[in-house]
Amino acid sequence: MTMTFRTTISSLATTLAATLAMNMSLNLAAAASELVGTRDITVFSVERQMDLPVTIWYPASHGPEASIVGENRVFEGTPASVGAEPETGRHPLILLSHGSGSTVQAMGWLAAHLAKAGFIVAGPNHPRTTSGDSTPADTPLLWQRVDDLSSIITALSASQDWGGIVDNERIGVLGFSLGGAAAMKISGARAGLEAYAGYCDTWPDMPDCRWFAGGIAYADWEMIEVEPLDLRTIDKGLFERQNRDPRIKSAVLVDPSVAQAFDAESLRQIDIPMAFINLGAPQSIIAGVDSSELAGLTPHGSLSHIDQAIHFSFLAECRQDAKAFLKQIGEVDPICDDGGNRSRADIHTELKQMIATLFTSTLMNTQ
């Protein structure tokens, strides 16, 4: 950051001294915010009648030396200080919802950056739609995902550890893919079951539609055969019910799935900022996540595109041997590929800056 000062020759010495003091203060603040803490907790879900595993990233004042957390067989991890002491004061909260077949830890690259920017970030591993534990039948049950997110707000607000540092008036939601659909729902969008089933009738080659029709699932990283899912057998009342949580004040939605099934009138009634991000150039976005109409219908919507990216560019950077492992277990999606000449690290840099700026403008710069 650079700053320009107007001054006169007679006051130059005073101004230089003040500038030096200010820069020292800024440097100290930046150094303090560099420490990202992380903790794993459980939050009870009434909807699911079970404990949810939740990971929290936050700006920390002090703690043990950072270690690599969230690394697994496919993805690189993220540096964070496990169990570090949170910074004092109240911080905006961002709820984080991962994509189908992913994990919240695979979004640690972004969560840690947001924590450095002053946010508390908390997300669950949504049961039965995570890496190695995912089924077609559980994938469209969006109301369960929305309840997961709302349960986290309630639990942190009442927590002895977090209640004093989470600012309940400044809460946002960030979702990717299926997590983006859940973020849409918690923001007030309603989806139609027949519209979703009709989307798969029209575009059976979309990744989610192939998943429903393919008759496969994963359990403990082993591929198992299951009955194909007929979307029309899902509970219509639960799928279409209103899930708006008024505590949500801002949303960022990255390649949200179910894009073709959201009710236009419900979108027109959403009264919070809705920042949509599609991964790739406008002409390359597939129908299942195309957010151009969604952004146009929401009163406070915006749409950005990330050049030379594909849907999977939002996942963490892959380990060197990840592609071979994914081929070995029969994974057909190009999880470790990107869309052009840019590295995933470079794409992530743009995304981190963009998303931090969006949430800063809606959650930080408020009175």
Side-chain angles (χ1 to χ4, degrees):
M1 180 177 67
T2 60
M3 302 186 68
T4 302
F5 296 92
R6 295 189 176 207
T7 187
T8 63
I9 296 298
S10 61
S11 63
L12 181 58
T14 301
T15 303
L16 288 174
T19 302
L20 179 60
M22 183 185 69
N23 286 339
M24 290 177 63
S25 176
L26 288 173
N27 288 337
L28 288 172
S33 67
E34 282 299 307
L35 183 60
V36 173
T38 185
R39 295 183 190 178
D40 292 326
I41 66 171
T42 58
V43 168
F44 184 72
S45 164
V46 175
E47 178 85 27
R48 296 182 187 269
Q49 286 296 295
M50 63 179 292
D51 285 331
L52 300 171
V54 174
T55 299
I56 305 175
W57 294 264
Y58 51 91
S61 59
H62 62 275
E65 185 177 346
S67 57
I68 301 299
V69 298
E71 184 180 59
N72 62 26
R73 188 63 183 81
V74 176
F75 298 116
E76 300 285 0
T78 304
S81 176
V82 179
E85 188 69 21
E87 279 187 354
T88 57
R90 288 193 174 272
H91 302 270
L93 171 66
I94 298 174
L95 301 171
L96 187 57
S97 185
H98 64 75
S100 175
S102 185
T103 65
V104 72
Q105 289 81 11
M107 298 171 76
W109 62 271
L110 176 57
H113 180 80
L114 292 172
K116 290 179 182 180
F119 299 95
I120 294 173
V121 183
N125 274 334
H126 297 288
R128 294 178 298 281
T129 58
T130 60
S131 295
D133 178 24
S134 185
T135 71
D138 287 291
T139 300
L141 309 186
L142 287 173
W143 64 91
Q144 293 184 347
R145 278 184 166 242
V146 175
D147 184 76
D148 293 346
L149 300 176
S150 290
S151 296
I152 292 173
I153 302 177
T154 301
L156 294 187
S157 299
S159 166
Q160 182 176 354
D161 292 331
W162 302 102
I165 60 174
V166 169
D167 188 336
N168 294 324
E169 299 302 315
R170 297 186 293 167
I171 301 177
V173 62
L174 166 62
F176 165 62
S177 195
L178 189 64
M184 291 285 293
K185 294 275 285 180
I186 201 172
S187 300
R190 293 191 304 274
L193 183 59
E194 182 57 36
Y196 195 32
Y199 147 75
C200 277
D201 292 341
T202 304
W203 287 288
D205 289 333
M206 288 292 106
D208 48 348
C209 301
R210 291 201 312 269
W211 172 240
F212 298 141
I216 62 170
Y218 292 96
D220 296 327
W221 286 106
E222 293 291 331
M223 186 183 295
I224 59 174
E225 293 187 8
V226 295
E227 290 295 322
L229 174 66
D230 179 356
L231 287 169
R232 293 179 173 87
T233 64
I234 297 170
D235 189 307
K236 180 180 173 70
L238 290 173
F239 187 83
E240 297 186 350
R241 77 182 182 188
Q242 171 62 258
N243 293 124
R244 171 76 171 115
D245 189 325
R247 296 172 293 185
I248 299 295
K249 300 299 192 293
S250 174
V252 175
L253 314 113
V254 183
D255 272 5
S257 66
V258 197
Q260 300 291 327
F262 286 109
D263 173 70
E265 185 55 35
S266 73
L267 297 175
R268 294 188 187 101
Q269 295 175 10
I270 296 176
D271 60 359
I272 64 172
M274 302 283 284
F276 295 88
I277 300 173
N278 272 153
L279 300 170
Q283 67 273 15
S284 70
I285 307 302
I286 61 174
V289 299
D290 184 356
S291 301
S292 54
E293 186 173 352
L294 304 179
L297 288 170
T298 52
H300 306 286
S302 65
L303 175 61
S304 303
H305 287 84
I306 304 297
D307 191 40
Q308 297 188 60
I310 66 170
H311 188 65
F312 299 105
S313 298
F314 202 74
L315 300 178
E317 293 184 61
C318 290
R319 298 179 62 178
Q320 188 172 1
D321 62 345
K323 285 187 178 182
F325 172 71
L326 291 169
K327 182 178 181 180
Q328 176 185 335
I329 65 172
E331 177 59 63
V332 296
D333 287 327
I335 288 173
C336 294
D337 292 334
D338 295 293
N341 297 323
R342 299 179 70 183
S343 67
R344 184 164 294 187
D346 184 48
I347 293 169
H348 282 185
T349 295
E350 182 178 357
L351 281 163
K352 287 188 288 190
Q353 294 172 347
M354 179 182 293
I355 293 171
T357 298
L358 288 166
F359 277 125
T360 296
S361 67
T362 57
L363 297 179
M364 289 285 197
N365 298 336
T366 58
Q367 299 297 323

